[in-house]
Amino acid sequence: MNGIYGKVALITGGAAGIGLHYAKELLRNGLRAVTLADVNEERGIEAVEDLTREFGSNKSLYVKTDVTDKEQFADAFERTVDKFKNIDILINNAGIMNDAIWEREIGINFVGTVIGCILGLHHYLPKYKTAKEGIIVNVASTTGLEVFGAIPIYVATKHAVIGLTQSWGTESHYKRAQVRFLALCPGPTDTTLALDGLDKNLGPAYQDIFRESQPFVTLQGSDYVAKGLIHAIVNGENGSIWVVEDSETPYEVVIPSRDKLRIMNYHDLELM
Ligand SMILES: NC(=O)c1ccc[n+]([C@@H]2O[C@H](COP(=O)([O-])OP(=O)(O)OC[C@H]3O[C@@H](n4cnc5c(N)ncnc54)[C@H](O)[C@@H]3O)[C@@H](O)[C@H]2O)c1
């Protein structure tokens, strides 16, 4: 079993971009049904039509949702359970890259992810999962594993998503709720977010840093990221971090523990 067959997923920001590719790839891998929870109603309706053409009727549902609004987010779970009876996989994917409206950016990328995790972990997944285990995938970014001066606030939201995933992806939470947490970190990918991102920052100085530091970025296709999601779900341990970049096979990133680095540091000093 791949952890996907016969399951029901809810994908935030699933009406377009990489999120819609996640929906398609999960359905290709045996997912029973998917809810697209997205703020863009027009794209949401089109996306369900698209999924119905490819996978048949009663496989997908669109719920107009702003992830920063707790009641709307809870309604997306409720409508999923009403229609499909279960909810097994939550993908917190909705995001924007726009430091010029940083309060909204933090709201969507970080607060929205927190709301999803709390609703998923504390209520809906333990209660309505089909089988033993539920899964929450939080979409971060390769920028969540590095520094990038052109968009420091976007970068910080993605670092935060990784810390959140690792902290909830610990044994004590798993024992209680049987919900596995994963962080997925796509590299630059060919969506509106990446293509329109150059001037969405704190001003011209930041735009210059963008140009200087990333002159020749190649954007990978969203289909590679979606395949990376399947790889992470099938292979990823609780709390693990997965990168998918440059259209290559995904790889796991293990952040060294501070305690181990500290011991190594003392050891080096002793040898001096
Ligand atoms: N494209 C990239 O290069 C890239 C790289 C790394 C990580 N990511 C991350 O992947 C995720 C998806 O990005 P994408 O490239 O597909 O972007 P996109 O702009 O193509 O799609 C984002 C989707 O999120 C929806 N959305 C925006 N605000 C929302 C809100 N408040 N509530 C619900 N839905 C909302 C949009 O309507 C849209 O359908 C984001 O979290 C992004 O940070 C993207």
Side-chain angles (χ1 to χ4, degrees):
M1 293 303 268
N2 61 7
I4 298 165
Y5 190 83
K7 305 285 175 59
V8 177
L10 188 160
I11 306 176
T12 69
I18 311 173
L20 182 54
H21 282 79
Y22 292 148
K24 291 185 176 185
E25 200 57 36
L26 285 165
L27 287 165
R28 279 183 203 118
N29 280 271
L31 193 79
R32 174 154 55 93
V34 64
T35 295
L36 310 176
D38 197 296
V39 76
N40 187 330
E41 190 162 24
E42 198 184 327
R43 296 299 295 265
I45 291 165
E46 280 171 16
V48 166
E49 285 168 1
D50 184 4
L51 293 179
T52 303
R53 271 192 302 277
E54 191 170 342
F55 300 99
S57 54
N58 286 323
K59 295 291 245 182
S60 56
L61 168 72
Y62 167 68
V63 182
K64 185 173 166 63
T65 313
D66 182 335
V67 293
T68 65
D69 183 314
K70 283 184 209 160
E71 285 176 11
Q72 287 185 27
F73 210 148
D75 183 53
F77 277 104
E78 286 293 332
R79 299 224 0 233
T80 302
V81 170
D82 278 353
K83 188 168 169 73
F84 302 124
K85 309 292 172 229
N86 299 101
I87 171 77
D88 302 284
I89 302 172
L90 166 66
I91 302 183
N92 284 309
N93 161 74
I96 63 168
M97 186 174 75
N98 191 342
D99 275 12
I101 49 167
W102 54 267
E103 291 97 333
R104 178 85 179 136
E105 185 181 52
I106 294 169
I108 297 169
N109 297 6
F110 182 60
V111 180
T113 302
V114 174
I115 294 172
C117 289
I118 291 174
L119 288 169
L121 176 67
H122 289 186
H123 186 59
Y124 288 97
L125 294 191
K127 193 165 175 192
Y128 295 106
K129 57 186 156 61
T130 311
K132 190 170 169 275
E133 187 184 64
I135 299 172
I136 296 182
V137 181
N138 291 328
V139 177
S141 162
T142 46
T143 64
L145 293 163
E146 58 201 17
V147 296
F148 185 30
I151 39 169
I153 302 159
Y154 176 81
V155 168
T157 64
K158 297 304 186 178
H159 277 256
V161 166
I162 289 174
L164 195 72
T165 307
Q166 289 191 294
S167 301
W168 262 320
T170 43
E171 194 52 28
S172 42
H173 288 294
Y174 190 83
K175 264 194 206 147
R176 200 184 59 246
Q178 271 90 52
V179 173
R180 179 161 52 110
F181 276 81
L182 301 165
L184 188 70
C185 301
T189 306
D190 67 349
T191 68
T192 322
L193 178 143
L195 294 167
D196 295 353
L198 184 62
D199 55 355
K200 293 180 172 170
N201 46 49
L202 291 169
Y206 292 82
Q207 206 155 321
D208 292 345
I209 300 171
F210 218 127
R211 284 210 189 82
E212 283 158 17
S213 49
Q214 296 211 313
F216 305 114
V217 170
T218 312
L219 299 176
Q220 64 187 345
S222 297
D223 48 329
Y224 283 98
V225 185
K227 288 195 170 72
L229 169 78
I230 305 298
H231 184 94
I233 288 178
V234 172
N235 298 292
E237 288 187 3
N238 189 30
S240 59
I241 305 164
W242 292 85
V243 170
V244 50
E245 61 180 339
D246 294 331
S247 315
E248 289 170 0
T249 308
Y251 63 94
E252 186 181 352
V253 169
V254 179
I255 299 174
S257 97
R258 182 173 51 78
D259 285 341
K260 273 193 194 141
L261 292 173
R262 192 178 185 183
I263 290 162
M264 280 165 61
N265 207 12
Y266 281 135
H267 184 67
D268 286 351
L269 285 174
E270 276 169 18
L271 293 178
M272 280 170 71

